[in-house]
Coordinates of all heavy atoms in Angstrom, one line a residue:
M1 N 112.3 63.6 97.5 CA 111.4 63.8 96.4 C 110.0 63.5 96.8 O 109.0 64.2 96.5 CB 111.8 62.9 95.2 CG 111.0 63.1 94.0 SD 111.3 64.8 93.4 CE 110.5 64.7 91.9
K2 N 109.8 62.4 97.6 CA 108.5 62.0 98.1 C 107.9 63.1 99.0 O 106.7 63.4 98.9 CB 108.6 60.7 98.8 CG 107.3 60.1 99.2 CD 107.5 58.7 99.9 CE 106.2 58.1 100.3 NZ 106.3 56.8 101.0
K3 N 108.7 63.7 99.8 CA 108.2 64.8 100.7 C 107.7 66.0 99.9 O 106.8 66.6 100.2 CB 109.2 65.2 101.7 CG 109.5 64.1 102.8 CD 110.5 64.6 103.8 CE 110.9 63.5 104.8 NZ 111.9 63.9 105.7
L4 N 108.5 66.3 98.9 CA 108.1 67.4 98.0 C 106.8 67.2 97.3 O 106.0 68.1 97.2 CB 109.3 67.7 97.0 CG 109.0 68.9 96.0 CD1 108.9 70.1 96.8 CD2 110.2 68.9 95.1
L5 N 106.6 66.0 96.8 CA 105.3 65.6 96.2 C 104.2 65.7 97.1 O 103.1 66.2 96.8 CB 105.4 64.2 95.6 CG 104.2 63.7 94.8 CD1 103.9 64.6 93.7 CD2 104.4 62.3 94.4
I6 N 104.3 65.2 98.3 CA 103.3 65.3 99.4 C 103.0 66.7 99.7 O 101.8 67.1 99.8 CB 103.7 64.5 100.6 CG1 103.7 63.0 100.3 CG2 102.7 64.8 101.8 CD1 104.3 62.1 101.4
A7 N 104.0 67.6 99.8 CA 103.8 69.0 100.1 C 103.1 69.7 99.0 O 102.2 70.5 99.2 CB 105.2 69.7 100.4
A8 N 103.4 69.3 97.8 CA 102.7 69.9 96.6 C 101.2 69.5 96.6 O 100.4 70.3 96.3 CB 103.4 69.5 95.3
I9 N 100.9 68.3 96.9 CA 99.5 67.8 96.9 C 98.8 68.5 98.0 O 97.6 69.0 97.7 CB 99.5 66.3 97.0 CG1 100.0 65.6 95.8 CG2 98.1 65.8 97.4 CD1 100.2 64.1 95.9
I10 N 99.3 68.6 99.1 CA 98.7 69.3 100.2 C 98.4 70.8 99.9 O 97.3 71.3 100.1 CB 99.5 69.2 101.5 CG1 99.4 67.8 102.0 CG2 99.0 70.2 102.6 CD1 100.4 67.5 103.2
A11 N 99.4 71.4 99.3 CA 99.3 72.9 98.9 C 98.1 73.0 97.9 O 97.4 74.0 97.9 CB 100.6 73.4 98.4
L12 N 98.1 72.1 96.9 CA 97.0 72.2 95.9 C 95.6 72.0 96.4 O 94.7 72.6 95.9 CB 97.4 71.3 94.7 CG 98.6 71.7 93.9 CD1 98.9 70.5 92.9 CD2 98.3 73.0 93.1
T13 N 95.5 71.1 97.4 CA 94.2 70.8 97.9 C 93.7 71.7 99.0 O 92.5 71.8 99.2 CB 94.2 69.3 98.5 OG1 95.1 69.2 99.5 CG2 94.4 68.3 97.4
T14 N 94.6 72.5 99.6 CA 94.2 73.4 100.6 C 94.3 74.9 100.2 O 93.9 75.8 101.0 CB 95.0 73.2 101.9 OG1 96.4 73.5 101.6 CG2 94.8 71.8 102.5
A15 N 94.8 75.2 99.1 CA 95.0 76.5 98.7 C 93.7 77.3 98.6 O 93.0 77.3 99.5 CB 95.8 76.6 97.4
C16 N 93.4 78.0 97.6 CA 92.3 78.9 97.5 C 90.9 78.3 97.6 O 90.0 79.0 97.4 CB 92.5 79.7 96.2 SG 94.0 80.7 96.2
T17 N 90.8 77.0 97.8 CA 89.5 76.4 97.8 C 89.0 76.3 99.2 O 87.8 75.9 99.4 CB 89.6 75.0 97.2 OG1 90.5 74.2 97.9 CG2 90.0 75.1 95.7
S18 N 89.8 76.6 100.2 CA 89.4 76.5 101.6 C 88.3 77.6 102.0 O 88.4 78.7 101.5 CB 90.5 76.7 102.6 OG 91.5 75.7 102.4
H19 N 87.4 77.2 102.8 CA 86.4 78.2 103.3 C 86.7 78.5 104.7 O 86.8 77.7 105.6 CB 85.0 77.6 103.2 CG 83.9 78.5 103.8 ND1 83.5 79.6 103.1 CD2 83.3 78.4 105.0 CE1 82.6 80.2 103.9 NE2 82.4 79.5 105.0
H20 N 86.8 79.8 105.0 CA 87.2 80.3 106.3 C 85.9 80.9 106.9 O 85.4 81.9 106.5 CB 88.3 81.3 106.3 CG 89.5 80.8 105.7 ND1 90.4 80.0 106.3 CD2 90.1 81.1 104.5 CE1 91.4 79.7 105.5 NE2 91.2 80.3 104.4
S21 N 85.3 80.2 107.9 CA 84.0 80.5 108.5 C 84.1 81.9 109.1 O 83.0 82.6 109.2 CB 83.6 79.5 109.5 OG 84.5 79.4 110.6
W22 N 85.2 82.4 109.6 CA 85.2 83.7 110.2 C 85.0 84.8 109.2 O 84.5 85.9 109.5 CB 86.5 84.0 111.0 CG 87.8 83.8 110.2 CD1 88.4 82.6 110.0 CD2 88.5 84.7 109.4 NE1 89.5 82.8 109.2 CE2 89.6 84.1 108.8 CE3 88.3 86.1 109.2 CZ2 90.5 84.8 108.0 CZ3 89.2 86.8 108.4 CH2 90.3 86.1 107.8
M23 N 85.2 84.5 107.9 CA 84.9 85.5 106.9 C 83.4 85.6 106.6 O 82.9 86.5 105.9 CB 85.6 85.2 105.6 CG 87.1 85.4 105.7 SD 87.6 87.1 106.1 CE 87.2 88.0 104.6
D24 N 82.6 84.7 107.1 CA 81.1 84.8 107.0 C 80.6 86.0 107.7 O 79.5 86.5 107.4 CB 80.4 83.5 107.6 CG 80.7 82.3 106.7 OD1 81.1 82.5 105.5 OD2 80.5 81.2 107.2
K25 N 81.3 86.6 108.6 CA 80.9 87.7 109.4 C 81.5 89.0 108.9 O 81.4 90.1 109.4 CB 81.3 87.6 110.9 CG 80.5 86.4 111.5 CD 81.0 86.2 112.9 CE 80.3 85.0 113.5 NZ 80.6 84.8 114.9
A26 N 82.2 88.9 107.7 CA 83.0 90.1 107.2 C 82.1 90.9 106.2 O 81.2 90.4 105.6 CB 84.2 89.6 106.4
Y27 N 82.5 92.2 106.2 CA 81.8 93.1 105.3 C 82.9 93.7 104.4 O 84.1 93.7 104.7 CB 81.1 94.2 106.0 CG 80.0 93.8 106.9 CD1 80.2 93.3 108.2 CD2 78.7 93.8 106.4 CE1 79.1 92.9 108.9 CE2 77.6 93.4 107.2 CZ 77.8 92.9 108.4 OH 76.8 92.5 109.2
V28 N 82.5 94.3 103.3 CA 83.4 95.1 102.4 C 82.8 96.4 102.2 O 81.6 96.6 102.0 CB 83.7 94.4 101.1 CG1 84.5 95.2 100.2 CG2 84.3 93.0 101.3
G29 N 83.6 97.4 102.3 CA 83.2 98.8 102.0 C 84.4 99.6 101.5 O 85.5 99.2 101.5
Y30 N 84.1 100.9 101.2 CA 85.2 101.8 100.7 C 85.3 102.9 101.7 O 84.3 103.6 102.0 CB 84.8 102.3 99.3 CG 84.9 101.2 98.3 CD1 83.8 100.4 98.0 CD2 86.1 101.0 97.6 CE1 83.9 99.4 97.0 CE2 86.2 100.0 96.6 CZ 85.1 99.2 96.4 OH 85.2 98.2 95.5
V31 N 86.5 103.2 102.1 CA 86.9 104.3 103.0 C 87.9 105.1 102.2 O 89.0 104.5 101.9 CB 87.4 103.8 104.4 CG1 87.7 105.0 105.2 CG2 86.3 103.0 105.1
D32 N 87.6 106.3 101.9 CA 88.6 107.2 101.2 C 89.0 106.5 99.9 O 90.1 106.5 99.5 CB 89.8 107.5 102.0 CG 89.5 108.4 103.2 OD1 88.4 109.1 103.2 OD2 90.2 108.3 104.2
N33 N 88.0 105.9 99.2 CA 88.2 105.3 97.9 C 89.1 104.0 97.9 O 89.7 103.6 96.9 CB 88.7 106.2 96.8 CG 87.7 107.3 96.5 OD1 86.5 107.1 96.4 ND2 88.2 108.6 96.4
Q34 N 89.3 103.5 99.1 CA 90.1 102.3 99.3 C 89.2 101.2 99.8 O 88.5 101.3 100.8 CB 91.2 102.5 100.3 CG 92.0 101.3 100.6 CD 93.0 101.6 101.7 OE1 93.2 102.7 102.2 NE2 93.7 100.6 102.1
A35 N 89.2 100.0 99.1 CA 88.4 98.9 99.6 C 89.0 98.3 100.9 O 90.2 98.1 101.0 CB 88.4 97.8 98.5
V36 N 88.1 98.1 101.8 CA 88.5 97.6 103.1 C 87.6 96.5 103.6 O 86.4 96.6 103.5 CB 88.5 98.7 104.2 CG1 88.9 98.3 105.5 CG2 89.3 99.9 103.7
V37 N 88.2 95.4 104.1 CA 87.4 94.3 104.7 C 87.2 94.7 106.2 O 88.1 95.0 106.9 CB 88.2 92.9 104.6 CG1 87.4 91.8 105.3 CG2 88.4 92.6 103.1
L38 N 85.9 94.6 106.6 CA 85.5 95.1 107.9 C 84.8 94.0 108.7 O 84.1 93.2 108.1 CB 84.7 96.3 107.8 CG 85.2 97.5 107.0 CD1 84.2 98.3 106.4 CD2 86.2 98.3 107.8
F39 N 84.8 94.2 110.0 CA 84.0 93.3 110.9 C 83.2 94.2 111.9 O 83.7 95.3 112.3 CB 84.9 92.4 111.7 CG 85.6 91.4 110.8 CD1 86.9 91.6 110.3 CD2 85.0 90.2 110.5 CE1 87.5 90.7 109.5 CE2 85.6 89.2 109.7 CZ 86.9 89.5 109.2
D40 N 82.0 93.8 112.3 CA 81.2 94.6 113.2 C 81.9 94.8 114.5 O 82.4 93.9 115.1 CB 79.9 93.8 113.4 CG 78.9 94.5 114.2 OD1 79.2 95.6 114.8 OD2 77.7 94.1 114.2
A41 N 82.0 96.0 114.9 CA 82.6 96.4 116.2 C 81.6 96.9 117.2 O 82.0 97.5 118.2 CB 83.8 97.4 115.9
G42 N 80.4 96.9 116.9 CA 79.3 97.3 117.8 C 78.8 98.7 117.6 O 79.2 99.4 116.6
T43 N 77.9 99.1 118.5 CA 77.3 100.4 118.4 C 77.7 101.2 119.7 O 77.6 100.7 120.8 CB 75.8 100.3 118.3 OG1 75.5 99.5 117.1 CG2 75.1 101.6 118.1
R44 N 78.1 102.5 119.5 CA 78.4 103.3 120.6 C 77.6 104.6 120.5 O 77.7 105.3 119.4 CB 79.9 103.6 120.7 CG 80.7 102.4 120.9 CD 82.1 102.7 120.9 NE 82.9 101.4 120.9 CZ 84.1 101.3 120.4 NH1 84.7 102.3 120.0 NH2 84.6 100.1 120.4
N45 N 76.9 105.0 121.5 CA 76.1 106.3 121.4 C 75.2 106.4 120.1 O 75.2 107.4 119.5 CB 77.0 107.5 121.6 CG 77.8 107.5 122.8 OD1 77.2 107.1 123.9 ND2 79.0 107.9 122.8
G46 N 74.7 105.3 119.7 CA 73.8 105.2 118.6 C 74.5 105.2 117.2 O 73.9 105.3 116.2
T47 N 75.8 105.2 117.2 CA 76.6 105.1 116.0 C 77.2 103.8 115.8 O 77.9 103.2 116.7 CB 77.7 106.2 116.0 OG1 77.1 107.5 116.3 CG2 78.5 106.2 114.7
K48 N 77.1 103.2 114.6 CA 77.6 101.9 114.3 C 79.1 102.0 113.9 O 79.5 102.9 113.1 CB 76.8 101.2 113.2 CG 77.1 99.9 112.8 CD 76.4 98.9 113.8 CE 76.6 97.5 113.3 NZ 76.7 96.6 114.4
Y49 N 79.9 101.1 114.4 CA 81.4 101.1 114.0 C 81.8 99.7 113.5 O 81.2 98.7 113.8 CB 82.2 101.4 115.3 CG 82.1 102.8 115.7 CD1 81.2 103.2 116.7 CD2 82.9 103.8 115.2 CE1 81.1 104.5 117.1 CE2 82.8 105.1 115.6 CZ 81.9 105.5 116.5 OH 81.8 106.8 116.9
Y50 N 82.8 99.7 112.6 CA 83.4 98.5 112.1 C 84.9 98.5 112.3 O 85.5 99.6 112.2 CB 83.0 98.4 110.6 CG 81.6 98.2 110.3 CD1 80.7 99.2 110.2 CD2 81.1 96.9 110.2 CE1 79.3 99.0 110.0 CE2 79.7 96.7 110.0 CZ 78.9 97.7 109.9 OH 77.5 97.5 109.7
R51 N 85.4 97.3 112.5 CA 86.9 97.2 112.7 C 87.5 96.6 111.4 O 87.0 95.6 110.9 CB 87.1 96.2 113.8 CG 88.6 96.1 114.2 CD 88.8 95.2 115.4 NE 87.9 95.5 116.6 CZ 88.1 96.6 117.4 NH1 89.1 97.4 117.2 NH2 87.2 96.8 118.4
P52 N 88.5 97.3 110.9 CA 89.2 96.8 109.6 C 89.9 95.4 109.9 O 90.4 95.2 111.0 CB 90.1 97.8 109.2 CG 90.2 98.8 110.3 CD 89.1 98.5 111.3
Q53 N 90.0 94.6 108.9 CA 90.7 93.3 109.0 C 92.2 93.5 109.3 O 92.7 92.8 110.1 CB 90.5 92.5 107.7 CG 91.2 91.2 107.8 CD 91.1 90.4 106.5 OE1 90.7 90.9 105.5 NE2 91.4 89.1 106.6
F54 N 92.8 94.5 108.7 CA 94.2 94.7 108.9 C 94.5 96.1 109.6 O 93.9 97.1 109.2 CB 95.0 94.7 107.6 CG 94.8 93.4 106.9 CD1 94.1 93.3 105.7 CD2 95.4 92.2 107.4 CE1 93.9 92.0 105.1 CE2 95.3 91.0 106.7 CZ 94.5 90.9 105.6
Q55 N 95.4 96.1 110.5 CA 95.8 97.3 111.2 C 96.3 98.4 110.2 O 96.1 99.6 110.4 CB 96.9 97.0 112.2 CG 97.3 98.2 113.0 CD 96.2 98.8 113.9 OE1 95.3 98.1 114.3 NE2 96.3 100.1 114.2
S56 N 96.9 97.9 109.1 CA 97.4 98.9 108.1 C 96.3 99.7 107.4 O 96.6 100.7 106.8 CB 98.3 98.1 107.0 OG 97.4 97.2 106.4
D57 N 95.1 99.2 107.5 CA 93.9 100.0 107.0 C 93.5 101.1 107.9 O 92.5 101.8 107.7 CB 92.7 99.1 106.7 CG 93.0 98.1 105.6 OD1 93.8 98.5 104.6 OD2 92.5 97.0 105.6
C58 N 94.2 101.3 109.1 CA 93.9 102.3 110.1 C 94.9 103.4 110.0 O 95.3 103.9 111.0 CB 93.9 101.7 111.4 SG 92.4 100.8 111.8
H59 N 95.2 103.9 108.8 CA 96.1 105.0 108.8 C 95.4 106.3 109.3 O 94.2 106.3 109.5 CB 96.5 105.3 107.3 CG 95.4 105.4 106.4 ND1 94.7 106.6 106.2 CD2 94.8 104.5 105.6 CE1 93.7 106.4 105.3 NE2 93.7 105.1 104.9
Y60 N 96.1 107.3 109.6 CA 95.5 108.5 110.3 C 94.6 109.2 109.3 O 94.9 109.5 108.2 CB 96.6 109.5 110.6 CG 96.1 110.7 111.2 CD1 95.6 110.7 112.5 CD2 96.0 111.9 110.5 CE1 95.0 111.9 113.1 CE2 95.4 113.0 111.0 CZ 94.9 113.0 112.3 OH 94.4 114.2 112.8
N61 N 93.4 109.4 109.8 CA 92.3 110.0 109.0 C 91.2 110.4 109.9 O 90.9 109.7 110.9 CB 91.8 109.0 107.9 CG 90.9 109.7 106.9 OD1 89.8 110.2 107.3 ND2 91.3 109.7 105.7
K62 N 90.4 111.4 109.6 CA 89.3 111.8 110.4 C 88.2 110.7 110.5 O 87.4 110.7 111.4 CB 88.6 113.0 109.8 CG 89.5 114.2 109.9 CD 88.8 115.4 109.2 CE 89.7 116.5 108.9 NZ 89.1 117.6 108.1
A63 N 88.3 109.7 109.6 CA 87.3 108.6 109.6 C 87.5 107.6 110.7 O 86.6 106.9 111.0 CB 87.3 107.9 108.2
F64 N 88.7 107.7 111.3 CA 89.0 106.6 112.2 C 88.9 107.2 113.7 O 89.1 108.3 114.0 CB 90.4 106.1 112.0 CG 90.6 105.6 110.6 CD1 91.6 106.2 109.8 CD2 89.9 104.6 110.1 CE1 91.8 105.8 108.5 CE2 90.1 104.2 108.8 CZ 91.0 104.8 108.0
F65 N 88.4 106.3 114.5 CA 88.3 106.6 116.0 C 89.3 105.7 116.7 O 89.1 104.5 116.7 CB 86.9 106.3 116.5 CG 86.8 106.4 117.9 CD1 86.7 107.7 118.6 CD2 86.7 105.3 118.7 CE1 86.5 107.7 119.9 CE2 86.6 105.4 120.1 CZ 86.5 106.6 120.7
D66 N 90.4 106.2 117.2 CA 91.4 105.4 117.8 C 91.0 104.8 119.1 O 90.4 105.5 119.9 CB 92.7 106.2 118.0 CG 93.4 106.5 116.7 OD1 93.3 105.7 115.8 OD2 93.9 107.6 116.6
E67 N 91.3 103.6 119.4 CA 91.0 102.9 120.6 C 92.4 102.6 121.3 O 93.4 103.2 120.9 CB 90.3 101.6 120.4 CG 88.8 101.8 120.1 CD 88.2 100.4 120.1 OE1 88.8 99.4 119.7 OE2 87.0 100.3 120.5
Q68 N 92.4 101.7 122.2 CA 93.7 101.3 122.7 C 94.6 100.7 121.6 O 94.1 100.1 120.7 CB 93.4 100.2 123.8 CG 92.6 100.6 124.9 CD 92.2 99.5 125.8 OE1 92.6 98.4 125.7 NE2 91.3 99.8 126.8
S69 N 95.8 101.0 121.7 CA 96.7 100.5 120.7 C 96.7 99.0 120.5 O 97.0 98.5 119.4 CB 98.2 101.0 120.9 OG 98.6 100.5 122.2
S70 N 96.4 98.3 121.5 CA 96.4 96.8 121.4 C 95.2 96.3 120.6 O 95.3 95.2 120.1 CB 96.4 96.2 122.8 OG 95.3 96.5 123.5
T71 N 94.1 97.1 120.6 CA 92.9 96.6 119.9 C 92.8 97.2 118.5 O 91.9 96.8 117.8 CB 91.7 96.8 120.7 OG1 91.6 98.2 121.0 CG2 91.7 96.1 122.0
G72 N 93.6 98.2 118.1 CA 93.5 98.8 116.8 C 92.5 99.9 116.8 O 92.5 100.7 117.7
C73 N 91.8 100.1 115.8 CA 90.9 101.2 115.6 C 89.5 100.7 115.1 O 89.4 99.6 114.7 CB 91.5 102.3 114.7 SG 91.5 101.8 113.0
V74 N 88.6 101.6 115.1 CA 87.3 101.3 114.5 C 86.9 102.5 113.5 O 87.4 103.6 113.6 CB 86.2 101.1 115.5 CG1 86.4 99.9 116.3 CG2 86.1 102.3 116.5
I75 N 86.0 102.2 112.6 CA 85.6 103.2 111.6 C 84.2 103.4 111.7 O 83.3 102.5 111.7 CB 86.0 102.6 110.2 CG1 87.5 102.3 110.0 CG2 85.6 103.7 109.1 CD1 87.9 101.7 108.7
N76 N 83.8 104.7 111.7 CA 82.4 105.1 111.8 C 81.7 104.7 110.5 O 82.2 104.9 109.4 CB 82.3 106.6 112.0 CG 81.0 107.1 112.2 OD1 80.0 106.6 111.7 ND2 80.9 108.2 113.0
E77 N 80.5 104.1 110.7 CA 79.7 103.6 109.5 C 79.4 104.7 108.5 O 79.4 104.5 107.3 CB 78.4 102.9 110.0 CG 77.6 102.4 108.9 CD 76.3 101.8 109.4 OE1 75.7 102.3 110.3 OE2 75.9 100.7 108.8
A78 N 79.3 105.9 109.0 CA 78.9 107.1 108.1 C 80.0 107.4 107.1 O 79.8 108.0 106.1 CB 78.7 108.3 109.0
R79 N 81.3 106.9 107.4 CA 82.4 107.1 106.5 C 82.6 106.0 105.5 O 83.5 106.1 104.7 CB 83.7 107.4 107.4 CG 83.6 108.5 108.3 CD 83.5 109.8 107.6 NE 84.5 110.0 106.5 CZ 85.5 110.8 106.6 NH1 85.6 111.6 107.6 NH2 86.4 110.9 105.6
I80 N 81.8 105.0 105.6 CA 82.0 103.8 104.7 C 81.0 103.9 103.6 O 79.8 104.0 103.8 CB 81.8 102.5 105.5 CG1 82.8 102.5 106.7 CG2 82.0 101.3 104.6 CD1 82.5 101.3 107.7
V81 N 81.5 103.7 102.4 CA 80.6 103.8 101.2 C 80.4 102.3 100.7 O 81.4 101.5 100.7 CB 81.3 104.7 100.1 CG1 80.4 104.7 98.8 CG2 81.5 106.1 100.6
D82 N 79.2 102.0 100.2 CA 78.9 100.7 99.5 C 79.3 99.6 100.5 O 79.9 98.6 100.1 CB 79.7 100.6 98.2 CG 79.2 99.4 97.4 OD1 78.0 99.0 97.6 OD2 79.9 98.9 96.6
L83 N 78.8 99.6 101.7 CA 79.0 98.6 102.7 C 78.1 97.4 102.3 O 76.9 97.5 102.2 CB 78.7 99.1 104.1 CG 79.0 98.1 105.2 CD1 80.5 97.8 105.3 CD2 78.5 98.7 106.5
H84 N 78.8 96.2 102.2 CA 78.0 95.0 101.9 C 78.7 93.8 102.5 O 79.9 93.8 102.8 CB 77.7 94.8 100.4 CG 79.0 94.8 99.6 ND1 79.6 95.9 99.2 CD2 79.7 93.8 99.1 CE1 80.7 95.6 98.5 NE2 80.8 94.3 98.4
I85 N 78.0 92.7 102.6 CA 78.5 91.4 103.1 C 79.6 90.9 102.2 O 79.5 90.9 101.0 CB 77.4 90.4 103.3 CG1 76.5 90.9 104.4 CG2 78.0 89.0 103.7 CD1 75.3 90.0 104.7
Y86 N 80.7 90.4 102.7 CA 81.8 89.9 102.0 C 81.5 88.8 101.0 O 81.9 88.8 99.8 CB 82.9 89.4 103.0 CG 84.2 88.9 102.3 CD1 85.1 89.8 101.8 CD2 84.4 87.5 102.1 CE1 86.3 89.3 101.2 CE2 85.5 87.0 101.5 CZ 86.5 87.9 101.1 OH 87.6 87.4 100.5
N87 N 80.7 87.8 101.5 CA 80.4 86.7 100.6 C 79.3 87.2 99.6 O 78.9 86.7 98.7 CB 79.9 85.5 101.4 CG 81.1 84.9 102.1 OD1 82.2 85.0 101.7 ND2 80.8 84.2 103.2

């Protein structure tokens, strides 16, 4: 019972109130009317690209530029609508 109480207290104090510093670099935008959390992936040939937070946001679409399968994909900034900082 004591372990359960301690686990509950830890869960309540660390749940949705934690601040994750890596999200300070995150952006939010819409690709094909779907909200996507993005991170800066650099500029190539004068075009800005962003990497989605989740690989599942990289479904097949003309908006995506496939890279190596181990690194996922990047999205051309021109295909992102209403891009803004996450926080």
Side-chain angles (χ1 to χ4, degrees):
M1 184 68 172
K2 186 176 181 181
K3 289 181 183 180
L4 182 60
L5 180 61
I6 291 171
I9 290 171
I10 290 172
L12 289 173
T13 59
T14 60
C16 296
T17 60
S18 297
H19 175 76
H20 302 287
S21 61
W22 55 272
M23 289 302 288
D24 291 342
K25 298 178 182 180
Y27 295 86
V28 176
Y30 291 87
V31 179
D32 296 334
N33 296 319
Q34 176 184 355
V36 181
V37 176
L38 304 156
F39 294 90
D40 187 345
T43 303
R44 298 178 190 156
N45 299 322
T47 303
K48 186 83 172 149
Y49 289 94
Y50 291 88
R51 185 174 313 284
Q53 180 181 14
F54 300 110
Q55 182 65 27
S56 61
D57 290 329
C58 278
H59 53 82
Y60 178 76
N61 187 299
K62 294 178 195 172
F64 304 119
F65 172 79
D66 292 324
E67 283 187 329
Q68 300 171 7
S69 60
S70 63
T71 59
C73 72
V74 290
I75 302 172
N76 185 326
E77 181 181 41
R79 299 297 306 250
I80 304 168
V81 178
D82 191 25
L83 183 65
H84 58 277
I85 295 177
Y86 179 80
N87 291 333

